[in-house]
Every structure is written in C-alpha cells, then in structure tokens.
Amino acid sequence: MRPRTLLFIVAAIIIAALVILSLLDQFFVDLLWFRSLGYESVFATEIIAEVAIFAAVWVIAFVAILISGLVAIGLSRDRERLRVVRRPDQMSEVNLPELIRALGERVPWKTIVAIAAAILAILAAQGESASWDTYLQAFYGVPFGLTEKAFGNDISFYVFSLPLLEDFRDLFLLIIFLAAAVAIAVYWARGALDFRDSPPRVAPGAAAHLSVLLAFFFLQRGMSYWLARFGLLLHTNGVVFGLRYVDALLWKPGLWLLVILSIIAAFLCFTNIREKGLRRPVIAAVIVFGPALILNFIQPVIERLWVKPDELRIERPYLERNIAMTRRAYKLDEVDVKPFGGKGELTLASVHEDEPTIKNIRLWDPRPLIATYRQLQEIRLYYDFKDVDIDRYNIQGNYTQVMLSAREMNIAQLPDNAQTWVNQHLKFTHGSGLAMSPVNEKDSEGLPIFFIKDIPASSDAGFDVSQPAVYYGEEPDNYCVVDSATPEFDYPSGTKNVFSYYKGSGGVPVSGFWRRLLFSFYYRDINLLVTENIIAKSRIMFRRNITGRIAYIAPFLHLDRDPYPVVHDGHLVWILDAYTTSDHFPYSQRNADGINYIRNSIKATVDAYTGQTTFYVADPDDPIIRTWERIFPGLFKPLDAMPPDLHAHIRYPEDLFLIQADIYSTYHMVDPQVFYNREDLWGFPRENYAGQTVQMQPYYVIMRLPGEMHEEYILMLPMVPQGRDNMISWLAARCDGADYGHLFEYSFSKDKLFYGPYQIQARINQSPDISKQLALWNQMGSKVVLGNLLVIPVQDSLLYVEPLYIRAENGQLPELQRVIASYSDRVVMGDTLNSTLDALFTTGAAPIAPTIAEVTPSAPSKPAQQFAAAARPAVSAPPDLKAAAGHYNRALSALRSGDWTSFGNEMSALGRELGQGPARPHH
C-alpha cells in the first residue's frame, strides 16, 4: 500500500473516531443530565425516535441510491457506451471518461457507488431525524373534535398528519434527486453520457434508466398535487385565508386532474424503457405542466370577470369560515365583549371609593427602574439584574403589586485579573437573593422603598428568603462545580467575604476519572480532568440558563420571552410560560411569526437553587398538549399539583396577549361585510419614551373591573383605530382564581371621543405650566424621563397617570419625582399620586408644579444651591410666570458671564416671584 493511501486511511479513521467520540460524549452527558432531573424516559423516547427515523430513512435512501448506481454500472458496460467522436476543435481536450475507461475494471465501481450511497443517505436521514417531533405527533395525535367542511377531515389531520405527509413528499423528491445524481455521474464517468454535445448524447441503457427516474419524479408530482388540495385551506389571497371561491371552483377539481395526469405521465415514462427516446418524456411533461399553466392562467380570469364584481357575496361563506376558525385558533371566540360607555363622572370621593385600584396604580416603570436597581442593589460589580418583573403578593393583609428582580452572578464582570478557572467555575457560582419594591411608593429622595433588599436578604414586609442563592437564572450558561474542595463565595459582608458549600441536590455527580474525562472532553476543558478541587461529593451544574434548560428538555414548546421569579418557601423559583403552536390550522390567519394556532398550555417552573424543572399543564383541553402527554407520559403534571403559593403567582403571559390582541385588532369584526370592507381595523396605541415614539405594551394592574365587587390582577391594553390615536376599546385578561384566562373587550361608545395615550402625552407637552417646568429641568444638567402612561378604568371613566423621573444628564440613577394625571380636560402634576389626584378633582385647584431645586439628582453646585434656596414653594398663590421667566433668563445670562452677584440677585427675585421658601437638603 502506498504511503499516501495509508496516510489517507489513517486520517479518515481518526476523523471518524473523533466524530463517534463526540456523539458518544454528547449522548452520555445528556443521559446523565436527564437522569438527574428524573426525565430519563423523556430522553429515551427522543433518542429512540431519532435513531429509528434515522435508520429507517437511511436504509430507504441508501437502497434507492445504491440500486440506481448499480443499475447505471450495469447499463454502462462497453457495449452500452457511446462511441467517442471528436470534432477537430476537441482533439487536444483531455477526456476524463476516456482516462477512466483506460483503467478498465481496476476501478472499484460498486464500492465507490456503495460509499457514495451511504454518505448521501446520511444527508437525507439527518434531516428527517431532526423532525422526530413531526413523526411522533402524527403517530400519537389526538383528535380536535372539530371537522372542516371542505374535505370533511378532523383538524388533527392538518395539524398532525399533513406536516408528516409533506415531509414524505420532500423526502421522496430528495431521494429521486440523489439517485439521479449518482446515476448521471456513473454514466458520465463511464462514457454513457456526453455533455459536450448539444443536446447531450445519451446511451440507450442510460436513457431507459433515466426514464424510470423521471417516472418516479412524476409520481412525486402527483403526490405533491394531492397534498396541495389540503394546502388550499392554508393559504391566502389577501381577502380570505384558507379555501376561497376560486379554489373550490377551479383548484379542487383541477388538482385532482393534475394528480391523474401525473400518473399518466409516469406511465408514459415507464413505457419509454423500450423506446429510449425523448418523445414520450416530452409528452409526459407537456401533459402535466401544460394543464398546470392553463389553470394558473384561468384563475385570474375567473377572479377578474366573475369574483371581483361581486366579491363579498361570492366569498361570504369562505369569509365566515376564515373568521370563525381564526377566532377559535387564537382562543378569541371566548372573548367577553362588554360596553364601556365612559359616561361616569369621577370626583375625589368616587376615586377614594375605588381605593384598591388607586393604591395599586403603578408609578415605577421597569425601564428606568432597572437602572435604579443596579445602582442601589447590585452591591458588587459581579452581580447583575437582568430585568425587572411585575407580580403581586399578599403583604400584611393587602393585595399588593410589586416590582422585583433576581440578583444573579455575572462572571463576565469580574476584573480581568480575577478571570481564573477556579473563580469562573468553582468559586463565583451563584447570585444572591433579589430586590423587591412596591409599584407605587417612593422615599423622600424619589427612590424606591424596598420590601426585600441587600445581601444577605432582609425584609421589613415579612418575606422569608432564608435560602437566597441563585444558581439558575437568566444569565448566559456557564457550568460550575459545587461541593468541591474550594468553598464558594456566598456574599460580601463589609470588607470581608462569606463563603459556603452547596447543600442541595442540583447538578450531576462529577467525581471519578471516567466522568471527569467525559465532561472534560464535552467542554474541551482539561482542568476538569486534572484539578484536585473535584472530590467525591462534587457535582457539576450546567444548562443553568432557565430558558435554554426548558428548551432542551421540551424543544417542541415555544417559550415566552419573560420568565419571572417568585419567592417560594424561603428561596426563589422561576416561572416561565410555554406555548403549543401550529402553522397548519385550517382557515386561520397566520401572524407575523408564521403560526396560526396557539395555546398557553404549560407553566414551567425552575428551582433557582436545585435546578429542578417541572412542567404543569395549564390548558388540558388543548389537543396538542394532550398529544405530547401521550408521547411523554412522565413529563407533565396537572396544574392542580403546583404548590398553592406558586399557583397564586401564575399570570396571563404578555407574549400571548400581544399575539391575541394583534389578531383581534382585525378579527373582532365578526360580520363578513364589515370584515371585508375593513371598516373597523384597530391598532396598538403609541407612546413617547426617552424621546422616541414606541408601541405601547400591555401592562399588569390590580383593579376592580367594571361591574365587579373586588379588585383582581389583570393584564390590559388600550386599543386605537388604525392610523389614529384616540381609544376605541381596551382588552383585559384575568390572572387570578378560577376565572384565570378569561378575556374581555370593553368596547367604547362610538359617539364620544376617548383620548388615547399618545394624545394625553401631547396634552401634557402642551400644558404651559408642565412644559415650562420640563424645559427648566432639562436645562439645568438633568434629564427628564416620562414613564409608562397608564390608562386606568375607574367607575365607567378613564383616568390617565404618568410618572416623571429625573436623573443627572450623565447619571444612571433615575428618581421618581413627579406624578402627572389627566381626567376630562384637565392635566395636573404633583409630588405624589395622592396630591396629584387631589389637585385634579378639586374645583379651582391649581396644578402642583414644583421646580428643579427639589429634584436635581446630582450634587448641586454653589449657584445651584442659590437656585434651590430661592425656589421652594411657600404660598399657594399662582406665580407670575412671565416675570419669573424674565428673572430666570437674566440669571442664566449672569451665570454665563460669571457675575455671581447679579445671579444671586436674580435668583432671589425669582424666588420672591414664585413665592417660594428655603429648600430641603438634597441627598
């Protein structure tokens, strides 16, 4: 054996060995991980399904490609080869088939074809095994109990069976293509096919073989046309989603015709085995593709001459199906529509009567609050708050809405000289506790009042956080080894650090040479193998990002973007909503993500200390989740099995609510005529934030729904007419109790104008008192940030509330300094919500408009202190704003010229004009 050949063989063996080792390493790591979670049966089901599908498809593809290649070898012997005819211009060309032919039978053709077939079959099998979930759903699918009218099939056929049939269609085409590619390569290499001529010359045997492959192609086209009949229920022309009039009239029978013609074309190609010419394949192609083109030409004629002149009448039955099925697919058929007249007259007394709603109006916006949390509660540079979540708790007997965020470990923020392997994987292993604050309270400096704060966690509100360690959270995944010889950093205490050892059951045992070798190879990290820090009881934690963790266990679920932590039994538990979806629900409109069916079927929980992951079925009526329960009987638990104090914190997810609101903005129109004319299209309201116009997001509130006796936790969103800013309705989803998930539409009267959030913000900016105050703050080294403008329904009226934050121009500590409220034609601003509402509903009361001296968040300079001393309110008489503005402008001119005496005099005059007294010390 030649050295070069030997080297090639050795390299091939090494590559194959590395591939096999990687696969085995992945397999055993996954097995240990699933076993540690108690989901070994889930892993086994997935692996068996993948291996079985891979093996079956590989065998089918291998046999088909191999037979095609062997037939090509047999039909391209010397007597079947083309006689080489060279033109004068080709005499100097090197002809590869001639060189191969010169080698004679020394070329191992059968071996080469077998190897090529084995490799190409892997391509087909790999793609199919990745679709193991499609196969399992088709085999275990649960009926929907709903039949569509066009073909009389249960919806489960479209959701579960049709995707698998479409996979088979594509696989059939791929195998035909690969078999043809191998055959053509063999014929060309052995001189039975010459591409140098136009048209290419083909030996008789090759022509017969390719005719058979072409016959299989036409059979595949027939299968494709047959499946396309069902696809008529899953497409749109912009007016109707699903089957429409032209489909029923033209394409339903037309596609059946194409199926029959495809079979005839395949028969013609089979009979070409004897004739070995081009005539019959050409006729076959004309038979199939000619009528297909004619049908495509006929369609616009029917639409233009027959449908368009009377489109509404003709398409009405199909519009009705489209509307009904879309509403059912997105669970909008259960929306409870109620009128909201907006005819109530709010007074200060009536506002106080609805105290549970008023006291839970959210004044803290998660967007600026995350910066405040980071400044006040990260404590050390290696801690991180990923985002701020909103939840509710019973605190000292009061149903209270809170903001909270888990304090996680972010090792990327360790100093460069501390980025050692021991620090990254053994010492800095976990975060510590959380910060929690009420949604509507602030201290005298405009900062949040904390229910839970600091390290170790402390609480004045009765919370027990005795085990605050956060090993699993939202930070990027980073493996850690716990219970090692190195103690873990637990939390800082003054100038010292407190260390501890893990006492839970999370992670996979990692002691022993073979396991250390396994994980060392998996992470390509030799330290796991050679370190002396791993001892007998050590465990390795990995896949610690909760979203990735849940996705790895149940990749068939679509996950919500916003997991949130809950204080449970002294530690943190994460809750994450998961969805079952489909893009094959008949007649249902697809959304921007391409799905047309969705259910919030799963509430998943992850213990932040142990990593234990549990899946609770929240919608047992969903056929898709019932199918997965049949496939994985040990994976899911009923929602009733969730601990009660965890169950009290489930909420209607924002992602689902946004999807439903987006579809409902069109499909609230149930009358086909209104729907067809798009007479009442809705959209999402706009709002201004940080100088940009953004789409308003849904928000959680504790409030008393109109007509209800008690307050409850709901998710709501105002809606506006498309292209306009006034409100047309508001949508709400219940989050509490037995009526969880109940959707409401509160429809506004069409004969009255209801301001939308964007219009209220415009009125705020147009208010002379408020706009001048905002301009004053923004000119004095501070930045004004307006938070969420919340629309709060109160007793058949609408109250608008928007918080105002101020931070230093280059600072990151926003302070809640003002509350703006609007009702009817009034807009006022006050220091607190109560004072603002008092001013709003007190006849003749002036809006409270304190000045910059109270709220500048940075340490004041000497001129600013003089400003502050001159700018405090002492009397309630309205100031002469024109005179005050004159003093203020002259003070700025003096400040720019360095004339401190004139600056002080003008500021004193400004203070007298505003009627203000001495300022409080600034923190």
Side-chain angles (χ1 to χ4, degrees):
M1 186 178 292
R2 294 180 179 179
R4 183 176 297 177
T5 303
L6 181 62
L7 183 63
F8 175 79
I9 293 174
V10 170
I13 292 174
I14 292 174
I15 292 173
L18 289 174
V19 171
I20 293 172
L21 281 175
S22 294
L23 292 174
L24 289 175
D25 185 66
Q26 179 75 52
F27 172 81
F28 285 112
V29 167
D30 286 350
L31 176 61
L32 292 173
W33 186 72
F34 275 91
R35 181 179 293 168
S36 72
L37 292 171
Y39 294 139
E40 189 173 354
S41 62
V42 174
F43 176 68
T45 300
E46 290 184 19
I47 290 297
I48 291 171
E50 288 188 69
V51 171
I53 295 167
F54 183 93
V57 174
W58 185 88
V59 168
I60 293 170
F62 172 74
V63 170
I65 298 169
L66 180 64
I67 290 174
S68 181
L70 294 178
V71 169
I73 292 172
L75 294 178
S76 59
R77 294 190 177 95
D78 288 339
R79 62 186 177 84
E80 293 289 343
R81 293 173 183 162
L82 296 170
R83 185 171 62 86
V84 177
V85 178
R86 292 196 176 208
R87 300 189 303 270
D89 61 326
Q90 297 175 332
M91 297 302 295
S92 62
E93 291 183 6
V94 177
N95 190 293
L96 182 60
E98 290 182 36
L99 295 177
I100 295 175
R101 190 184 310 174
L103 296 175
E105 295 304 318
R106 287 178 292 176
V107 178
W109 288 106
K110 293 182 180 179
T111 302
I112 292 174
V113 166
I115 293 173
I119 294 173
L120 293 175
I122 291 175
L123 298 178
Q126 183 66 35
E128 287 302 301
S129 65
S131 300
W132 60 269
D133 54 335
T134 302
Y135 281 76
L136 292 181
Q137 285 189 94
F139 296 153
Y140 291 91
V142 172
F144 274 67
L146 177 65
T147 302
E148 54 81 20
K149 297 180 180 180
F151 298 100
N153 294 318
D154 186 86
I155 301 301
S156 60
F157 169 78
Y158 299 92
V159 174
F160 300 135
S161 302
L162 186 57
L164 181 60
L165 293 174
E166 291 171 342
D167 263 12
F168 287 162
R169 174 199 63 196
D170 298 339
L171 177 63
F172 190 9
L173 180 62
L174 177 61
I175 292 175
I176 292 171
F177 173 80
L178 295 176
V182 169
I184 290 170
V186 171
Y187 285 129
W188 173 78
R190 289 171 62 87
L193 185 61
D194 192 347
F195 289 104
R196 293 179 302 168
D197 296 324
S198 181
R201 292 193 300 152
V202 185
H209 184 190
L210 295 178
S211 294
V212 172
L213 291 173
L214 189 60
F216 280 114
F217 168 75
F218 282 118
L219 289 177
Q220 191 274 343
R221 293 310 306 157
M223 179 183 182
S224 181
Y225 289 134
W226 183 75
L227 292 177
R229 295 162 52 248
F230 306 113
L232 294 173
L233 277 63
L234 300 168
H235 76 145
T236 182
N237 67 340
V239 176
V240 180
F241 192 96
L243 192 76
R244 50 202 168 127
Y245 177 81
V246 71
D247 297 330
L249 178 69
L250 177 68
W251 285 109
K252 275 184 70 177
L255 288 170
W256 260 125
L257 174 64
L258 293 178
V259 170
I260 296 170
L261 293 177
S262 295
I263 295 173
I264 294 172
F267 177 77
L268 283 175
C269 290
F270 279 124
T271 61
N272 195 52
I273 293 175
R274 290 187 177 183
E275 187 173 303
K276 303 180 180 63
L278 284 176
R279 185 174 64 88
R280 293 191 180 186
V282 170
I283 292 174
V286 171
I287 285 175
V288 173
F289 298 117
L293 288 173
I294 292 172
L295 289 172
N296 278 286
F297 286 134
I298 292 175
Q299 176 182 322
V301 174
I302 294 175
E303 290 178 335
R304 180 68 185 87
L305 299 180
W306 182 259
V307 178
K308 290 296 182 183
D310 197 11
E311 189 171 40
L312 175 58
R313 182 187 63 82
I314 291 175
E315 299 286 17
R316 176 180 285 269
Y318 307 103
L319 280 171
E320 290 173 348
R321 294 182 198 176
N322 175 201
I323 294 169
M325 295 295 272
T326 298
R327 288 170 63 90
R328 179 151 186 164
Y330 290 93
K331 217 170 184 178
L332 299 175
D333 54 337
E334 300 177 5
V335 174
D336 194 353
V337 181
K338 296 187 175 184
F340 189 87
K343 298 178 180 179
E345 292 293 334
L346 287 183
T347 64
L348 191 58
S350 63
V351 166
H352 288 312
E353 287 176 5
D354 212 343
E355 183 183 3
T357 298
I358 301 302
K359 72 179 182 180
N360 278 291
I361 291 177
R362 178 164 57 84
L363 302 181
W364 284 104
D365 186 324
R367 293 169 292 189
L369 184 60
I370 185 65
T372 303
Y373 271 22
R374 286 170 176 164
Q375 291 293 316
L376 299 179
Q377 283 293 307
E378 279 188 351
I379 312 297
R380 294 290 189 271
L381 57 87
Y382 36 76
Y383 288 125
D384 189 20
F385 292 108
K386 293 296 291 185
D387 69 346
V388 174
D389 295 298
I390 303 172
D391 202 355
R392 73 284 196 196
Y393 289 80
N394 274 303
I395 300 176
Q396 298 173 351
N398 295 315
Y399 199 38
T400 306
Q401 191 174 193
V402 300
M403 322 284 281
L404 71 164
S405 184
R407 186 184 294 105
E408 299 187 53
M409 176 64 67
N410 185 352
I411 60 170
Q413 295 179 180
L414 288 171
D416 291 340
N417 60 358
Q419 293 285 346
T420 65
W421 183 82
V422 170
N423 281 346
Q424 291 178 343
H425 301 291
L426 303 181
K427 185 166 289 185
F428 291 90
T429 58
H430 59 275
S432 182
L434 74 160
M436 178 192 290
S437 58
V439 299
N440 59 344
E441 295 184 30
K442 63 170 185 170
D443 64 15
S444 59
E445 301 299 325
L447 301 175
I449 296 173
F450 288 100
F451 285 158
I452 303 176
K453 62 181 180 179
D454 298 342
I455 305 176
S458 63
S459 174
D460 296 329
F463 284 95
D464 171 23
V465 195
S466 53
Q467 182 46 270
V470 180
Y471 284 89
Y472 299 84
E474 297 184 83
E475 287 289 339
D477 191 45
N478 175 62
Y479 79 84
C480 70
V481 178
V482 298
D483 248 354
S484 67
T486 299
E488 302 170 45
F489 169 77
D490 198 16
Y491 60 87
S493 179
T495 58
K496 299 180 180 180
N497 293 329
V498 177
F499 294 87
S500 66
Y501 290 93
Y502 183 69
K503 299 179 179 62
S505 59
V508 175
V510 72
S511 62
F513 173 78
W514 291 110
R515 290 205 176 188
R516 292 173 67 174
L517 178 63
L518 177 72
F519 284 99
S520 179
F521 186 77
Y522 181 76
Y523 282 108
R524 309 298 190 264
D525 189 343
I526 192 65
N527 291 294
L528 283 168
L529 184 62
V530 301
T531 181
E532 296 180 358
N533 286 292
I534 295 179
I535 56 179
K537 60 181 180 178
S538 296
R539 308 173 74 87
I540 184 170
M541 293 181 174
F542 56 104
R543 294 172 189 153
R544 296 198 292 152
N545 176 272
I546 54 177
T547 301
R549 186 179 187 83
I550 293 171
Y552 207 88
I553 299 171
F556 47 85
L557 296 175
H558 292 249
L559 304 183
D560 194 85
R561 294 172 298 172
D562 187 26
Y564 58 99
V566 175
V567 179
H568 166 64
D569 197 21
H571 66 290
L572 296 185
V573 174
W574 295 92
I575 297 180
L576 179 60
D577 290 280
Y579 310 104
T580 49
T581 63
S582 174
D583 58 0
H584 273 64
F585 199 93
Y587 294 102
S588 177
Q589 177 72 48
R590 290 195 176 105
N591 76 342
D593 295 324
I595 64 170
N596 65 356
Y597 173 91
I598 187 169
R599 291 292 185 272
N600 178 211
S601 297
I602 295 296
K603 303 287 186 181
T605 64
V606 179
D607 191 302
Y609 189 66
T610 67
Q612 182 57 49
T613 306
T614 310
F615 297 84
Y616 298 97
V617 177
D619 190 349
D621 296 328
D622 172 34
I624 297 182
I625 202 60
R626 288 165 56 203
T627 297
W628 287 116
E629 286 184 285
R630 293 180 65 185
I631 297 169
F632 299 117
L635 179 59
F636 304 102
K637 295 181 179 180
L639 191 60
D640 292 343
M642 181 182 283
D645 59 341
L646 268 184
H647 191 285
H649 292 279
I650 65 172
R651 66 187 190 187
Y652 204 83
E654 286 186 57
D655 282 359
L656 174 61
F657 192 67
L658 270 174
I659 290 172
Q660 290 177 311
D662 181 46
I663 296 298
Y664 195 74
S665 65
T666 300
Y667 284 87
H668 69 276
M669 298 180 285
V670 294
D671 183 287
Q673 180 171 342
V674 176
F675 183 90
Y676 174 80
N677 293 321
R678 297 297 197 264
E679 296 176 16
D680 193 21
L681 283 176
W682 295 353
F684 295 146
R686 301 182 296 164
E687 65 171 343
N688 282 319
Y689 180 76
Q692 295 183 337
T693 300
V694 298
Q695 177 183 297
M696 191 174 191
Q697 297 297 306
Y699 49 92
Y700 293 99
V701 293
I702 291 178
M703 63 170 286
R704 187 155 54 92
L705 287 170
E708 299 294 331
M709 297 297 296
H710 304 287
E711 72 275 15
E712 57 185 295
Y713 194 52
I714 68 165
L715 178 63
M716 67 170 290
L717 178 68
M719 301 296 288
V720 298
Q722 191 176 68
R724 296 169 61 187
D725 291 316
N726 59 288
M727 282 176 59
I728 191 69
S729 70
W730 57 280
L731 305 179
R734 278 181 158 154
C735 300
D736 287 342
D739 207 22
Y740 169 88
H742 192 162
L743 297 175
F744 293 91
E745 175 207 333
Y746 287 92
S747 181
F748 291 175
S749 172
K750 299 290 179 64
D751 58 0
K752 183 178 180 180
L753 175 66
F754 294 84
Y755 289 119
Y758 199 70
Q759 292 171 319
I760 293 296
Q761 286 186 321
R763 293 186 64 197
I764 291 171
N765 292 330
Q766 293 165 6
S767 168
D769 296 334
I770 296 177
S771 61
K772 288 181 181 179
Q773 189 70 69
L774 300 185
L776 180 64
W777 284 325
N778 280 322
Q779 291 173 5
M780 295 300 295
S782 300
K783 179 69 176 177
V784 174
V785 179
L786 292 173
N788 286 128
L789 191 149
L790 303 184
V791 182
I792 308 296
V794 180
Q795 298 184 7
D796 202 33
S797 294
L798 294 178
L799 177 66
Y800 304 85
V801 177
E802 182 169 35
L804 182 149
Y805 312 92
I806 294 184
R807 62 173 174 83
E809 191 168 4
N810 298 317
Q812 294 297 323
L813 185 61
E815 298 174 356
L816 173 59
Q817 293 292 352
R818 294 292 178 271
V819 178
I820 303 172
S822 177
Y823 173 71
S824 185
D825 59 350
R826 286 179 56 78
V827 177
V828 301
M829 180 171 69
D831 185 59
T832 65
L833 178 61
N834 286 336
S835 64
T836 303
L837 294 180
D838 288 343
L840 186 64
F841 294 107
T842 301
T843 304
I848 303 173
T851 60
I852 188 83
E854 297 178 87
V855 294
T856 303
S858 57
S861 61
K862 182 176 180 180
Q865 288 174 342
Q866 290 179 325
F867 191 127
R872 295 289 297 172
V875 296
S876 59
D880 185 342
L881 294 178
K882 184 175 180 180
H887 290 301
Y888 172 71
N889 291 330
R890 288 190 290 273
L892 288 181
S893 298
L895 182 61
R896 283 192 290 267
S897 63
D899 185 355
W900 302 110
T901 301
S902 297
F903 174 83
N905 293 335
E906 291 297 336
M907 292 309 298
S908 298
L910 174 61
R912 289 191 299 271
E913 193 62 49
L914 295 175
Q916 297 181 355
R920 61 174 171 85
H922 184 80
H923 177 68

